Amino acid sequence: MALVLAAEPAPIGGQLRGGIYVRSDSDRTTVISPRAHVRQQLGSPQTQLDISYSLDAWTSASVDIRTAATPIVRENRHEGVVGVERERGNTAWAASYRFSHEPDYLANSATLGGKLDLAQRTITLAGRLFGALDRVGRSGDPTFREPLQAGGAQVSATFVLTKTTLLQFAYELRGALGYMASPYRFVAVGSGDGLCDETAEFCLPEVHPRRRNRHAWVLRGRQALHRKVSLGATYRFYYDSWQLRSHTASVDLAVMPARGATLALEYRHYAQSSAFFYRSRYMAPGPGGYFTRDRELSSLGSQRLALHGVYARPLKRGAIEVGALVAGTRIGYDDFVGLSRVFALELSAMLGGRY
């Protein structure tokens, strides 16, 4: 979401928002996700309680599922997040806990962060630590349980260079240890077409390295072009121990056509290389004995164009807010058997208010 041109007024007592997100793509996958969020003061405006819930109703007959000769898959994922934020002078801290459950995956994670404003709030230093303990399962197989542990840190520095210019630098480090393959994917070995069919010599379960370290560097900037118009840009470079590299560049234009209304048009370009053990066809075991049929580990690129807007109508106490988003994405796979491109459409709507 693009940055708005003016700071959002502090909530009087809290915020309540509900919405729905829908994504459908040409690979026959649809996600419908209703969401709810409550933000409430605890005694004073400096202390806030955050509670959110989302449901992902997922239906898919993607190329992975069709290749495995599996019928349409339908699953629901429930996620809840509870957090608290506290401001005091030029400092603030926040803590949160996230719980997510679906039939074959259980996730628990916690985050602790803080920020410090310096030089009359023209410099903001922020950081956070996070950790997760997940359990990977397989539907229909109660004996399959694999652990996955993850953790990391993020630091950032934001500078108000002038009255109309913002600049931010950020770095993030993540590490994961445990099971990171899919218990449902099988990889053909010795097959000319790379698929698990009658031409494959072997069809083996996917095997990924059990350790992965990730690094990301981000540079963001925002420039006000007019009292009601601003331009933002972001560049992100990513590298991990699986030798996957990616570049993400985005630009957005935000305008305020009327009081309380913000519209933003955003374009994002993404490109990545493949993991060191990825092959579109395995004629022999891969490096380190690893196999994968995960297209997200292949060489790929994507473009996304999004239009989103928010309108807040003031009331005697608080305000009513509505928002909407429409976005289209094209993903191109350079070296994946069975799929060369995917087109996706995203829609979302939000209704809420401050009180």
Side-chain angles (χ1 to χ4, degrees):
M1 178 70 71
L3 296 175
V4 296
L5 303 182
E8 181 177 324
I12 297 174
Q15 297 178 358
L16 177 62
R17 291 175 177 173
I20 187 167
Y21 169 83
V22 178
R23 183 187 187 277
S24 184
D25 65 36
S26 58
D27 194 32
R28 299 167 64 180
T29 298
T30 299
V31 178
I32 301 175
S33 180
R35 303 171 179 179
H37 174 230
V38 177
R39 183 177 177 90
Q40 178 63 50
Q41 289 182 12
L42 295 178
S44 70
Q46 287 72 41
T47 305
Q48 303 280 340
L49 174 68
D50 266 301
I51 302 176
S52 64
Y53 168 78
S54 63
L55 165 66
D56 289 342
W58 181 76
T59 303
S60 181
S62 68
V63 63
D64 292 332
I65 294 172
R66 299 194 301 271
T67 298
T70 302
I72 293 176
V73 174
R74 295 182 175 88
E75 287 187 356
N76 292 334
R77 182 180 69 88
H78 302 269
E79 178 180 292
V81 181
V82 178
V84 62
E85 299 180 14
R86 171 69 176 172
E87 293 186 13
R88 186 174 182 178
N90 63 344
T91 64
W93 63 268
S96 65
Y97 167 72
R98 169 183 168 269
F99 174 79
S100 176
H101 176 267
E102 53 192 293
D104 54 3
Y105 203 100
L106 182 67
N108 296 271
S109 63
T111 301
L112 179 63
K115 70 175 184 177
L116 172 64
D117 292 321
L118 302 171
Q120 297 181 333
R121 299 185 181 270
T122 61
I123 300 175
T124 300
L125 305 179
R128 66 187 181 101
L129 301 173
F130 43 88
L133 294 174
D134 298 352
R135 188 183 69 202
V136 184
R138 180 164 55 202
S139 295
D141 184 359
T143 65
F144 186 94
R145 290 187 177 184
E146 290 284 349
L148 175 60
Q149 305 171 32
Q154 183 186 61
V155 293
S156 67
T158 305
F159 303 90
V160 181
L161 300 181
T162 70
K163 293 182 179 180
T164 60
T165 307
L166 292 176
L167 187 65
Q168 183 184 74
F169 301 94
Y171 168 73
E172 184 174 343
L173 169 66
R174 287 179 177 264
L177 178 65
Y179 185 83
M180 285 176 274
S182 168
Y184 304 105
R185 276 196 295 260
F186 289 82
V187 183
V189 178
S191 170
D193 60 9
L195 303 178
C196 278
D197 54 24
E198 61 277 1
T199 65
E201 185 176 349
F202 300 103
C203 200
L204 304 176
E206 183 176 69
V207 180
H208 288 178
R210 297 185 68 86
R211 184 185 297 272
R212 190 176 190 183
N213 297 320
R214 310 174 188 226
H215 307 266
W217 293 263
V218 180
L219 174 63
R220 295 186 179 94
R222 189 153 208 94
Q223 176 65 51
L225 305 178
H226 181 269
R227 187 169 59 90
K228 296 184 177 182
V229 181
S230 72
L231 182 68
T234 301
Y235 171 72
R236 179 179 184 267
F237 173 71
Y238 168 92
Y239 172 79
D240 67 29
S241 58
W242 292 3
Q243 298 180 20
L244 190 151
R245 294 179 174 85
S246 72
H247 302 269
T248 307
S250 65
V251 61
D252 71 85
L253 181 68
V255 299
M256 296 180 67
R259 182 180 178 182
T262 301
L263 288 175
L265 181 65
E266 179 184 15
Y267 170 76
R268 185 180 67 200
H269 176 79
Y270 175 83
Q272 76 170 42
S273 63
S274 62
F276 75 90
F277 57 93
Y278 175 83
R279 303 287 186 274
S280 58
R281 297 173 177 84
Y282 290 88
M283 304 311 294
Y290 304 124
F291 302 86
T292 187
R293 175 73 180 157
D294 187 353
R295 66 193 187 200
E296 301 305 319
L297 296 179
S298 70
S299 169
L300 63 90
S302 70
Q303 297 83 38
R304 181 177 184 266
L305 186 64
L307 176 66
H308 40 85
V310 177
Y311 174 69
R313 180 182 177 85
L315 302 175
K316 290 183 178 180
R317 179 179 175 86
I320 293 178
E321 300 176 332
V322 294
L325 173 144
V326 57
T329 302
R330 180 193 183 277
I331 307 172
Y333 299 95
D334 302 326
D335 189 27
F336 184 79
V337 175
L339 189 67
S340 60
R341 65 184 63 88
V342 171
F343 297 94
L345 175 65
E346 300 169 72
L347 300 171
S348 74
M350 180 274 292
L351 174 64
R354 300 191 298 271
Y355 54 88

